Amino acid sequence: MSEQQDRFNGDTRVLHRRAVRTPLPDEDAERMFHRNMMAVADARERKADLLADPDVPLLAAYEAELDRLAETFERRLRRIAGDDYEEAAIAYHRGERDDRIGALIAYYVEGLWRIQQRTTVTDMLFSPLILRYPDSFTVNIRFASAYTTPESVVYESPEHSTDDLDDEHAETYYEESLYSQRQAAAYVRETADIIREQFPHPDESSFDERKYGGIVAAGGRRGSVFSDVLTSVEPDPDRFSEPITEPTLVEEGREAKRTERELFPHSDVVH
């Protein structure tokens, strides 16, 4: 993806104040949506397992979750535009096409590229907002110039520390880092349950039980300090008045503005 990365590096215009709205016309579509959300929940449980393992570097846990998130993005991209989605995104970015599919692909590719860069970039929070409505769901991709939020748990990675400590202090720092990782692992595992509660299986729930649901998350790092937060969000029942028949870009909703104020009160947000 080298050419695509060159073209999209730093170009956030396609994300600005927008989200992707995807229709849920039948239970097959709902099952697909549920499958993707359970993949996100599974990724968090896997991250929790790795964080709690003292023999696993923290970065391995971090990357494992990012890899699973990237997989969900790639599946969406291939469903929308097939295997040539990179070329479609590049063409849209260059101004060679200006259509709905091109805009959707450019939106997801920008998000995918930034997710893939997170292991090497500090002070950049990735904060997806996913909301379920009766006939559709929205994905709002946001990034903030920060490494944590007022609600985040933070944990330490000794492998990323640049402090020159003597043996006694180094051992203490290492043990305290492992403790912070275990605490974070317990939290991350709990948040996987939030995802499952917000997006129940269509074959195991009534329509009233599943027609509204939502989550917002934020994760980032600064040097050796990593952060994580995920919480439920109540969708605005009056947001959409018209149904849709195909995925399309929409303006962000009140939920995006509200969670932005709560999570990033002192940060510059790149949508």
Side-chain angles (χ1 to χ4, degrees):
M1 296 178 64
S2 59
E3 181 182 5
Q4 168 244 320
Q5 290 176 354
D6 290 341
R7 298 302 300 174
F8 278 83
N9 184 12
D11 179 13
T12 59
R13 291 171 296 174
V14 70
L15 302 180
H16 187 65
R17 301 289 182 190
R18 295 196 285 183
V20 176
R21 183 186 178 198
T22 302
L24 293 171
D26 51 43
E27 288 195 355
D28 284 341
E30 288 199 54
R31 292 186 187 102
M32 179 67 72
F33 171 64
H34 178 267
R35 188 177 307 122
N36 280 333
M37 295 312 304
M38 293 308 99
V40 176
D42 291 344
R44 292 189 72 79
E45 288 191 336
R46 177 58 176 162
K47 178 181 180 179
D49 290 340
L50 296 175
L51 277 175
D53 188 337
D55 296 325
V56 176
L58 187 152
L59 189 60
Y62 192 69
E63 290 180 331
E65 182 184 33
L66 296 184
D67 287 346
R68 294 295 294 274
L69 290 175
E71 289 174 5
T72 66
F73 272 62
E74 289 172 345
R75 281 199 295 270
R76 289 193 184 105
L77 285 163
R78 289 192 169 90
R79 282 202 303 273
I80 295 170
D83 291 337
D84 296 331
Y85 64 82
E86 295 175 24
E87 289 78 2
I90 293 169
Y92 182 87
H93 180 74
R94 289 174 175 167
E96 297 169 0
R97 59 183 295 175
D98 184 18
D99 59 291
R100 180 184 62 86
I101 294 297
L104 288 171
I105 295 301
Y107 187 94
Y108 276 125
V109 167
E110 174 68 18
L112 174 60
W113 184 86
R114 289 178 174 274
I115 290 173
Q116 292 170 332
Q117 301 306 303
R118 283 184 61 214
T119 56
T120 58
V121 176
T122 65
D123 287 290
M124 185 184 74
L125 279 167
F126 170 51
S127 181
L129 171 65
I130 304 172
L131 301 169
R132 163 70 199 267
Y133 300 91
D135 64 347
S136 59
F137 70 92
T138 61
V139 176
N140 187 302
I141 300 172
R142 305 175 298 181
F143 297 87
S145 57
Y147 78 100
T148 188
T149 80
E151 305 298 325
S152 296
V153 297
V154 295
Y155 45 103
E156 191 84 20
S157 171
E159 294 84 2
H160 291 80
S161 176
T162 58
D163 294 334
D164 186 14
L165 304 175
D166 58 41
D167 290 345
E168 180 179 354
H169 288 92
E171 182 177 356
T172 299
Y173 169 64
Y174 181 75
E175 292 300 325
E176 290 176 347
S177 297
L178 291 183
Y179 177 77
S180 74
Q181 291 178 31
R182 290 194 297 271
Q183 295 292 99
Y187 170 81
V188 170
R189 189 176 301 280
E190 291 174 359
T191 62
D193 292 335
I194 293 176
I195 298 172
R196 293 192 169 92
E197 292 167 0
Q198 289 296 308
F199 307 110
H201 197 294
D203 295 336
E204 300 171 2
S205 60
S206 68
F207 181 71
D208 284 342
E209 291 173 323
R210 66 179 186 271
K211 67 180 180 179
Y212 289 108
I215 59 166
V216 63
R221 59 172 285 221
R222 172 179 290 171
S224 61
V225 179
F226 290 68
S227 74
D228 196 296
V229 65
L230 187 148
T231 187
S232 60
V233 176
E234 184 175 348
D236 176 6
D238 299 321
R239 181 175 181 186
F240 298 115
S241 59
E242 298 293 334
I244 59 170
T245 59
E246 54 192 6
T248 187
L249 285 177
V250 296
E251 296 297 315
E252 68 177 3
R254 285 183 288 184
E255 307 97 331
K257 295 180 174 67
R258 183 178 72 250
T259 55
E260 178 180 327
R261 291 192 301 268
E262 294 169 352
L263 294 176
F264 318 120
H266 309 297
S267 304
D268 294 327
V269 177
V270 178
H271 298 76

